[in-house]
Each structure stands twice: as structure tokens, then as C-alpha cells.
Amino acid sequence: MSRKEELVRAISAVEEEIKDLEQKRLRSQSSIIEAFVDKTEPNPRDAEYFKTLSSLIRLQREKLQMLSDELKLLD
């Protein structure tokens, strides 16, 4: 398999991972927004889960950018 094909597959996998992480983050985000609307404190577990998932998403986006940049260099 060529390096270009490997990068395309890796990019696809990272994009799917980001999508999955964002979907999971939506659950805790909804809980946090509900607490904000109700003017109550959000559940600390939901807040920590949101922060953790946001960090993972940020890391995956950085990885996606690096893979995309490497693919552009091959073209």
C-alpha cells in the first residue's frame, strides 16, 4: 500500500473518531446547557466529561491537520 493510500485511510479514521467523540460530547453538553438555563450548577461529572472529550477532539483535530498537511506534500 502506498503512503498516500495510508494517509487517506488514516484521515478517514480520524474524521470518524472526531465525529464519534463529538456525538458523545453532545450528551454532556446538553446537561451543562440545561443546568445553565435552569440556573443551577452542572453536574461535576458532566463538566469533567465535557472537558475530557473536548481535549480528545482537539488532539484528533491536530492529528487530522498533520495528516492532511503530509498528504498535500505528496500531491
Coordinates of all heavy atoms in Angstrom, one line a residue:
M1 N 0.9 -1.2 0.0 CA 0.0 0.0 0.0 C 0.9 1.2 0.0 O 1.9 1.3 0.7 CB -0.9 0.0 1.2 CG -1.8 1.1 1.3 SD -2.9 1.2 2.8 CE -3.1 -0.4 3.4
S2 N 0.5 2.2 -0.8 CA 1.3 3.4 -0.9 C 1.1 4.3 0.3 O 0.1 4.2 1.0 CB 1.0 4.2 -2.2 OG -0.2 4.8 -2.1
R3 N 2.0 5.2 0.5 CA 1.9 6.1 1.7 C 0.7 7.0 1.5 O 0.0 7.3 2.5 CB 3.2 7.0 1.7 CG 3.2 8.0 2.9 CD 3.2 7.3 4.2 NE 3.1 8.3 5.3 CZ 2.6 8.1 6.4 NH1 2.0 6.9 6.7 NH2 2.5 9.0 7.3
K4 N 0.4 7.4 0.3 CA -0.8 8.2 0.0 C -2.1 7.5 0.4 O -2.9 8.1 1.1 CB -0.8 8.6 -1.5 CG -1.9 9.6 -1.8 CD -1.8 10.1 -3.2 CE -2.8 11.1 -3.6 NZ -2.7 11.6 -4.9
E5 N -2.2 6.2 0.1 CA -3.4 5.4 0.5 C -3.5 5.3 2.0 O -4.6 5.4 2.6 CB -3.3 4.1 -0.2 CG -3.5 4.1 -1.7 CD -3.3 2.7 -2.3 OE1 -2.7 1.8 -1.6 OE2 -3.7 2.5 -3.4
E6 N -2.3 5.1 2.6 CA -2.3 5.0 4.1 C -2.8 6.3 4.7 O -3.6 6.3 5.7 CB -0.9 4.7 4.6 CG -0.4 3.3 4.3 CD 1.1 3.2 4.8 OE1 1.6 4.0 5.5 OE2 1.7 2.2 4.3
L7 N -2.4 7.4 4.2 CA -2.8 8.7 4.7 C -4.3 8.9 4.5 O -5.0 9.4 5.4 CB -2.0 9.8 4.1 CG -0.5 10.0 4.5 CD1 0.2 11.0 3.6 CD2 -0.4 10.3 6.0
V8 N -4.8 8.6 3.4 CA -6.2 8.8 3.1 C -7.0 7.9 4.1 O -8.0 8.4 4.6 CB -6.5 8.4 1.6 CG1 -8.0 8.3 1.4 CG2 -5.9 9.4 0.7
R9 N -6.6 6.7 4.3 CA -7.3 5.8 5.3 C -7.2 6.4 6.7 O -8.2 6.4 7.5 CB -6.8 4.4 5.2 CG -7.2 3.7 4.0 CD -6.8 2.3 3.9 NE -7.3 1.7 2.7 CZ -6.9 0.5 2.3 NH1 -6.1 -0.2 3.0 NH2 -7.3 0.1 1.1
A10 N -6.0 6.9 7.1 CA -5.8 7.4 8.4 C -6.7 8.7 8.6 O -7.3 8.9 9.6 CB -4.3 7.7 8.6
I11 N -6.7 9.5 7.6 CA -7.6 10.7 7.6 C -9.0 10.3 7.8 O -9.7 10.9 8.7 CB -7.4 11.6 6.4 CG1 -6.0 12.3 6.4 CG2 -8.5 12.6 6.2 CD1 -5.6 12.9 5.1
S12 N -9.5 9.4 7.1 CA -10.9 8.9 7.2 C -11.2 8.4 8.6 O -12.2 8.7 9.2 CB -11.1 7.8 6.2 OG -12.5 7.3 6.3
A13 N -10.2 7.6 9.2 CA -10.4 7.1 10.5 C -10.4 8.2 11.6 O -11.3 8.1 12.5 CB -9.3 6.1 10.8
V14 N -9.6 9.2 11.4 CA -9.5 10.3 12.4 C -10.8 11.1 12.3 O -11.4 11.5 13.3 CB -8.3 11.1 12.2 CG1 -8.4 12.4 13.0 CG2 -7.0 10.4 12.5
E15 N -11.3 11.3 11.1 CA -12.6 12.1 10.9 C -13.7 11.3 11.6 O -14.6 11.9 12.2 CB -12.9 12.3 9.4 CG -11.9 13.3 8.8 CD -12.1 13.4 7.3 OE1 -12.6 12.4 6.6 OE2 -11.7 14.4 6.7
E16 N -13.7 10.0 11.4 CA -14.8 9.2 12.1 C -14.7 9.3 13.6 O -15.7 9.4 14.3 CB -14.7 7.8 11.6 CG -15.9 6.9 12.0 CD -17.2 7.4 11.4 OE1 -17.2 7.9 10.2 OE2 -18.2 7.3 12.1
E17 N -13.5 9.2 14.1 CA -13.2 9.3 15.5 C -13.7 10.6 16.1 O -14.3 10.7 17.1 CB -11.8 9.1 15.8 CG -11.4 9.2 17.3 CD -12.0 8.1 18.2 OE1 -12.3 7.0 17.6 OE2 -12.1 8.3 19.4
I18 N -13.4 11.7 15.3 CA -13.9 13.0 15.8 C -15.4 13.1 15.8 O -16.0 13.6 16.8 CB -13.3 14.1 14.8 CG1 -11.8 14.3 15.0 CG2 -14.0 15.5 15.1 CD1 -11.1 15.1 14.0
K19 N -16.0 12.5 14.8 CA -17.5 12.5 14.8 C -18.1 11.8 16.0 O -19.0 12.2 16.6 CB -17.9 11.8 13.5 CG -19.3 12.3 13.0 CD -19.7 11.6 11.7 CE -18.7 11.7 10.6 NZ -19.2 11.1 9.3
D20 N -17.5 10.6 16.3 CA -17.9 9.8 17.4 C -17.7 10.6 18.8 O -18.6 10.6 19.6 CB -17.2 8.5 17.5 CG -17.6 7.6 16.4 OD1 -18.6 7.8 15.8 OD2 -16.8 6.6 16.2
L21 N -16.5 11.2 18.9 CA -16.3 12.0 20.1 C -17.2 13.2 20.3 O -17.7 13.5 21.4 CB -14.8 12.5 20.1 CG -13.8 11.4 20.3 CD1 -12.4 11.9 20.0 CD2 -13.8 10.8 21.7
E22 N -17.5 13.9 19.2 CA -18.4 15.0 19.2 C -19.8 14.6 19.6 O -20.5 15.2 20.3 CB -18.4 15.7 17.9 CG -17.1 16.5 17.6 CD -17.1 17.2 16.3 OE1 -17.7 16.7 15.3 OE2 -16.3 18.1 16.1
Q23 N -20.2 13.4 19.1 CA -21.6 12.9 19.5 C -21.6 12.6 21.0 O -22.6 12.9 21.6 CB -21.8 11.6 18.7 CG -23.2 11.1 18.8 CD -24.3 12.0 18.3 OE1 -24.0 12.7 17.3 NE2 -25.4 12.1 18.9
K24 N -20.6 12.0 21.5 CA -20.5 11.7 22.9 C -20.5 13.0 23.8 O -21.2 13.1 24.8 CB -19.3 10.9 23.3 CG -19.4 9.5 22.8 CD -18.1 8.7 23.1 CE -18.1 7.3 22.5 NZ -16.8 6.6 22.7
R25 N -19.8 14.0 23.3 CA -19.7 15.2 24.0 C -21.0 16.0 24.0 O -21.4 16.7 25.0 CB -18.6 16.1 23.3 CG -18.4 17.4 24.1 CD -17.3 18.2 23.5 NE -17.7 18.7 22.1 CZ -16.9 19.6 21.5 NH1 -15.8 20.1 22.0 NH2 -17.3 20.0 20.3
L26 N -21.9 15.8 23.0 CA -23.2 16.4 23.0 C -24.0 16.1 24.2 O -24.8 16.9 24.7 CB -23.9 16.0 21.7 CG -23.6 16.8 20.4 CD1 -24.3 16.3 19.2 CD2 -23.8 18.3 20.6
R27 N -23.9 14.8 24.7 CA -24.7 14.4 25.8 C -24.4 15.3 27.0 O -25.3 15.8 27.7 CB -24.5 12.9 26.1 CG -25.0 12.1 25.0 CD -24.8 10.6 25.3 NE -24.8 9.8 24.1 CZ -23.9 8.9 23.8 NH1 -23.0 8.6 24.6 NH2 -24.0 8.3 22.6
S28 N -23.1 15.4 27.3 CA -22.7 16.2 28.5 C -23.0 17.7 28.2 O -23.4 18.4 29.2 CB -21.3 15.9 28.9 OG -20.4 16.3 27.8
Q29 N -22.8 18.1 27.0 CA -23.1 19.5 26.7 C -24.5 19.8 26.9 O -24.8 20.9 27.4 CB -22.7 19.7 25.2 CG -22.8 21.2 24.8 CD -22.3 21.3 23.3 OE1 -22.1 20.4 22.6 NE2 -22.2 22.6 22.9
S30 N -25.4 18.9 26.6 CA -26.9 19.2 26.8 C -27.2 19.3 28.3 O -27.9 20.2 28.7 CB -27.7 18.0 26.2 OG -27.5 17.9 24.8
S31 N -26.5 18.5 29.1 CA -26.7 18.5 30.5 C -26.2 19.9 31.1 O -26.8 20.5 31.9 CB -26.0 17.4 31.2 OG -26.1 17.5 32.6
I32 N -25.1 20.3 30.6 CA -24.5 21.6 31.1 C -25.4 22.8 30.7 O -25.6 23.7 31.5 CB -23.1 21.7 30.5 CG1 -22.1 20.7 31.2 CG2 -22.5 23.1 30.7 CD1 -20.8 20.6 30.5
I33 N -25.9 22.7 29.4 CA -26.7 23.8 29.0 C -28.0 23.8 29.8 O -28.5 24.9 30.1 CB -27.0 23.7 27.4 CG1 -25.7 24.0 26.7 CG2 -28.1 24.6 27.0 CD1 -25.8 23.7 25.2
E34 N -28.6 22.7 30.0 CA -29.8 22.6 30.8 C -29.6 23.2 32.2 O -30.4 23.9 32.7 CB -30.3 21.1 31.0 CG -31.6 21.0 31.7 CD -32.0 19.5 31.8 OE1 -31.4 18.7 31.2 OE2 -33.0 19.3 32.5
A35 N -28.5 22.9 32.8 CA -28.1 23.5 34.1 C -28.0 25.0 34.0 O -28.5 25.7 34.9 CB -26.9 22.9 34.7
F36 N -27.4 25.5 33.0 CA -27.3 26.9 32.7 C -28.6 27.6 32.6 O -28.9 28.6 33.2 CB -26.4 27.2 31.5 CG -26.3 28.6 31.1 CD1 -25.4 29.5 31.9 CD2 -27.0 29.1 30.1 CE1 -25.3 30.8 31.5 CE2 -26.9 30.5 29.7 CZ -26.0 31.3 30.5
V37 N -29.5 27.0 31.8 CA -30.9 27.5 31.6 C -31.7 27.5 32.9 O -32.4 28.5 33.2 CB -31.6 26.7 30.5 CG1 -33.1 27.1 30.5 CG2 -30.9 27.0 29.2
D38 N -31.5 26.4 33.7 CA -32.2 26.3 35.0 C -31.5 27.1 36.1 O -32.0 27.1 37.2 CB -32.3 24.8 35.4 CG -33.2 24.0 34.5 OD1 -34.0 24.7 33.7 OD2 -33.1 22.8 34.5
K39 N -30.4 27.7 35.8 CA -29.6 28.5 36.7 C -29.2 27.6 38.0 O -29.3 28.1 39.1 CB -30.3 29.7 37.2 CG -30.6 30.7 36.0 CD -31.3 31.9 36.4 CE -31.4 32.7 35.1 NZ -32.4 33.7 35.1
T40 N -28.7 26.4 37.6 CA -28.2 25.5 38.7 C -26.8 25.2 38.3 O -26.3 25.4 37.2 CB -29.0 24.3 38.8 OG1 -29.0 23.6 37.5 CG2 -30.5 24.6 39.2
E41 N -26.1 24.5 39.2 CA -24.7 24.1 39.0 C -24.8 22.8 38.1 O -25.6 21.9 38.4 CB -24.0 23.7 40.3 CG -23.5 24.9 41.0 CD -22.3 25.6 40.2 OE1 -21.4 24.9 39.7 OE2 -22.4 26.8 40.1
P42 N -24.0 22.7 37.1 CA -23.9 21.5 36.3 C -23.3 20.4 37.1 O -22.5 20.6 38.0 CB -23.1 21.8 35.1 CG -22.3 23.0 35.4 CD -23.1 23.7 36.5
N43 N -23.7 19.2 36.8 CA -23.1 18.0 37.4 C -21.6 18.0 37.1 O -21.2 18.1 36.0 CB -23.8 16.7 36.8 CG -23.3 15.5 37.5 OD1 -22.1 15.3 37.8 ND2 -24.2 14.6 37.7
P44 N -20.8 17.9 38.2 CA -19.3 17.9 38.0 C -18.8 16.8 37.1 O -17.9 17.1 36.3 CB -18.8 17.8 39.4 CG -19.9 18.1 40.3 CD -21.1 17.8 39.6
R45 N -19.5 15.7 37.1 CA -19.0 14.6 36.2 C -19.3 15.0 34.8 O -18.5 14.7 33.9 CB -19.8 13.3 36.6 CG -19.1 12.6 37.7 CD -19.7 11.3 38.0 NE -20.9 11.6 38.8 CZ -21.9 10.8 39.0 NH1 -21.9 9.6 38.5 NH2 -22.9 11.2 39.8
D46 N -20.4 15.6 34.5 CA -20.7 16.0 33.1 C -19.7 17.1 32.7 O -19.3 17.0 31.5 CB -22.2 16.6 33.0 CG -23.2 15.5 33.1 OD1 -22.9 14.4 32.7 OD2 -24.3 15.9 33.6
A47 N -19.4 18.0 33.5 CA -18.4 19.0 33.2 C -17.1 18.4 32.9 O -16.4 18.8 31.9 CB -18.3 20.1 34.3
E48 N -16.6 17.5 33.7 CA -15.3 16.8 33.5 C -15.3 16.0 32.3 O -14.4 16.0 31.5 CB -15.0 16.0 34.7 CG -13.6 15.5 34.7 CD -12.5 16.6 34.7 OE1 -12.7 17.6 35.3 OE2 -11.5 16.4 34.0
Y49 N -16.4 15.3 32.0 CA -16.6 14.5 30.8 C -16.5 15.4 29.6 O -15.8 15.1 28.6 CB -17.9 13.8 30.9 CG -18.1 12.6 29.9 CD1 -17.2 11.5 29.9 CD2 -19.1 12.7 28.9 CE1 -17.4 10.5 29.0 CE2 -19.3 11.6 28.0 CZ -18.4 10.5 28.1 OH -18.6 9.5 27.2
F50 N -17.1 16.5 29.6 CA -17.1 17.5 28.5 C -15.7 18.0 28.3 O -15.2 18.1 27.1 CB -18.0 18.7 28.8 CG -18.1 19.7 27.8 CD1 -18.9 19.6 26.7 CD2 -17.3 20.9 27.9 CE1 -18.9 20.5 25.7 CE2 -17.3 21.8 26.9 CZ -18.1 21.7 25.8
K51 N -15.0 18.3 29.3 CA -13.6 18.8 29.2 C -12.7 17.8 28.6 O -11.9 18.0 27.7 CB -13.1 19.3 30.5 CG -13.7 20.6 31.1 CD -13.1 20.9 32.4 CE -13.8 22.0 33.1 NZ -13.3 22.3 34.4
T52 N -12.9 16.5 29.1 CA -12.0 15.4 28.6 C -12.3 15.2 27.1 O -11.3 15.0 26.3 CB -12.3 14.2 29.4 OG1 -12.0 14.4 30.8 CG2 -11.5 13.0 28.9
L53 N -13.5 15.1 26.8 CA -13.9 14.9 25.4 C -13.4 16.0 24.5 O -12.9 15.8 23.4 CB -15.4 14.6 25.2 CG -15.8 13.3 25.7 CD1 -17.4 13.2 25.7 CD2 -15.3 12.1 24.9
S54 N -13.5 17.2 25.0 CA -13.1 18.4 24.2 C -11.6 18.3 23.9 O -11.1 18.6 22.9 CB -13.4 19.7 24.9 OG -14.8 19.9 24.9
S55 N -10.8 17.9 25.0 CA -9.4 17.7 24.8 C -9.0 16.7 23.8 O -8.2 16.8 22.9 CB -8.7 17.4 26.1 OG -8.8 18.4 27.0
L56 N -9.8 15.5 23.8 CA -9.5 14.5 22.9 C -9.9 14.9 21.5 O -9.2 14.6 20.5 CB -10.4 13.2 23.2 CG -9.9 12.5 24.5 CD1 -11.0 11.4 24.9 CD2 -8.6 11.9 24.3
I57 N -10.9 15.7 21.3 CA -11.3 16.2 20.0 C -10.2 17.1 19.5 O -9.8 17.1 18.3 CB -12.7 16.9 20.0 CG1 -13.8 15.8 20.3 CG2 -13.0 17.7 18.8 CD1 -15.1 16.4 20.6
R58 N -9.7 18.0 20.3 CA -8.7 18.9 19.9 C -7.4 18.2 19.4 O -6.8 18.5 18.4 CB -8.3 19.9 21.1 CG -7.4 21.0 20.7 CD -7.3 22.0 21.8 NE -7.4 21.6 23.2 CZ -8.6 21.7 23.9 NH1 -9.6 22.2 23.4 NH2 -8.6 21.3 25.2
L59 N -7.1 17.1 20.2 CA -5.9 16.3 19.8 C -6.1 15.6 18.4 O -5.2 15.6 17.6 CB -5.6 15.2 20.9 CG -5.0 15.8 22.2 CD1 -4.9 14.7 23.2 CD2 -3.7 16.4 21.9
Q60 N -7.3 15.1 18.2 CA -7.6 14.4 17.0 C -7.6 15.4 15.8 O -7.2 15.1 14.7 CB -9.0 13.7 17.1 CG -9.0 12.5 17.9 CD -8.1 11.4 17.4 OE1 -7.8 11.2 16.2 NE2 -7.5 10.6 18.3
R61 N -8.1 16.6 16.1 CA -8.1 17.6 15.0 C -6.7 18.0 14.6 O -6.4 18.3 13.5 CB -8.9 18.9 15.4 CG -10.4 18.6 15.4 CD -11.2 19.9 15.7 NE -12.6 19.6 15.7 CZ -13.5 20.2 16.4 NH1 -13.1 21.1 17.3 NH2 -14.8 19.9 16.3
E62 N -5.8 18.1 15.6 CA -4.4 18.4 15.4 C -3.8 17.2 14.5 O -3.0 17.5 13.6 CB -3.6 18.5 16.7 CG -3.9 19.8 17.4 CD -3.3 19.9 18.8 OE1 -2.5 19.0 19.2 OE2 -3.6 20.9 19.5
K63 N -4.1 16.0 14.9 CA -3.6 14.8 14.1 C -4.1 14.9 12.7 O -3.4 14.6 11.8 CB -4.1 13.6 14.8 CG -3.6 12.3 14.2 CD -4.1 11.1 15.0 CE -3.6 9.8 14.4 NZ -4.0 8.6 15.2
L64 N -5.4 15.2 12.6 CA -6.0 15.3 11.2 C -5.3 16.4 10.4 O -5.0 16.2 9.2 CB -7.5 15.7 11.3 CG -8.3 15.9 10.1 CD1 -8.3 14.6 9.2 CD2 -9.7 16.3 10.4
Q65 N -5.0 17.5 11.0 CA -4.3 18.6 10.3 C -2.9 18.1 9.9 O -2.5 18.4 8.7 CB -4.1 19.8 11.2 CG -3.5 21.0 10.5 CD -4.4 21.5 9.3 OE1 -5.6 21.7 9.4 NE2 -3.7 21.6 8.1
M66 N -2.2 17.4 10.7 CA -0.8 16.9 10.4 C -0.9 15.9 9.2 O -0.1 15.9 8.3 CB -0.2 16.2 11.6 CG 0.3 17.2 12.6 SD 1.2 16.6 14.0 CE 0.7 14.9 14.2
L67 N -1.9 15.0 9.3 CA -2.1 14.0 8.2 C -2.4 14.7 6.9 O -1.9 14.3 5.8 CB -3.2 13.0 8.6 CG -2.8 12.0 9.7 CD1 -4.1 11.3 10.2 CD2 -1.7 11.1 9.3
S68 N -3.3 15.7 7.0 CA -3.7 16.4 5.8 C -2.6 17.2 5.2 O -2.4 17.2 3.9 CB -4.9 17.4 6.1 OG -6.0 16.7 6.5
D69 N -1.8 17.8 6.0 CA -0.6 18.5 5.5 C 0.4 17.5 4.8 O 0.9 17.9 3.8 CB 0.1 19.2 6.7 CG -0.7 20.4 7.2 OD1 -1.6 20.8 6.5 OD2 -0.3 20.9 8.3
E70 N 0.6 16.4 5.4 CA 1.5 15.4 4.8 C 1.0 14.9 3.5 O 1.7 14.7 2.5 CB 1.7 14.2 5.8 CG 2.7 13.2 5.3 CD 3.0 12.1 6.3 OE1 2.6 12.2 7.5 OE2 3.6 11.1 5.9
L71 N -0.3 14.7 3.4 CA -1.0 14.3 2.2 C -0.8 15.3 1.1 O -0.5 15.0 -0.1 CB -2.4 14.0 2.4 CG -3.2 13.4 1.2 CD1 -2.6 12.1 0.7 CD2 -4.7 13.2 1.5
K72 N -0.9 16.6 1.5 CA -0.7 17.7 0.5 C 0.7 17.7 -0.1 O 0.9 18.0 -1.2 CB -1.1 19.0 1.1 CG -2.5 19.3 1.3 CD -2.8 20.6 1.9 CE -4.3 20.8 2.3 NZ -4.5 22.0 3.0
L73 N 1.6 17.4 0.8 CA 3.0 17.4 0.4 C 3.3 16.3 -0.6 O 4.2 16.4 -1.5 CB 4.0 17.2 1.6 CG 4.1 18.4 2.5 CD1 4.9 18.0 3.8 CD2 4.7 19.6 1.8
L74 N 2.5 15.2 -0.6 CA 2.7 14.1 -1.5 C 2.1 14.4 -2.9 O 2.5 13.8 -3.9 CB 2.1 12.8 -1.0 CG 2.8 12.2 0.3 CD1 2.1 11.0 0.7 CD2 4.3 11.9 -0.1
D75 N 1.2 15.3 -2.9 CA 0.5 15.7 -4.2 C 1.3 16.6 -5.1 O 2.2 17.2 -4.8 CB -0.9 16.3 -4.0 CG -1.9 15.3 -3.5 OD1 -1.7 14.1 -3.8 OD2 -2.9 15.7 -2.9

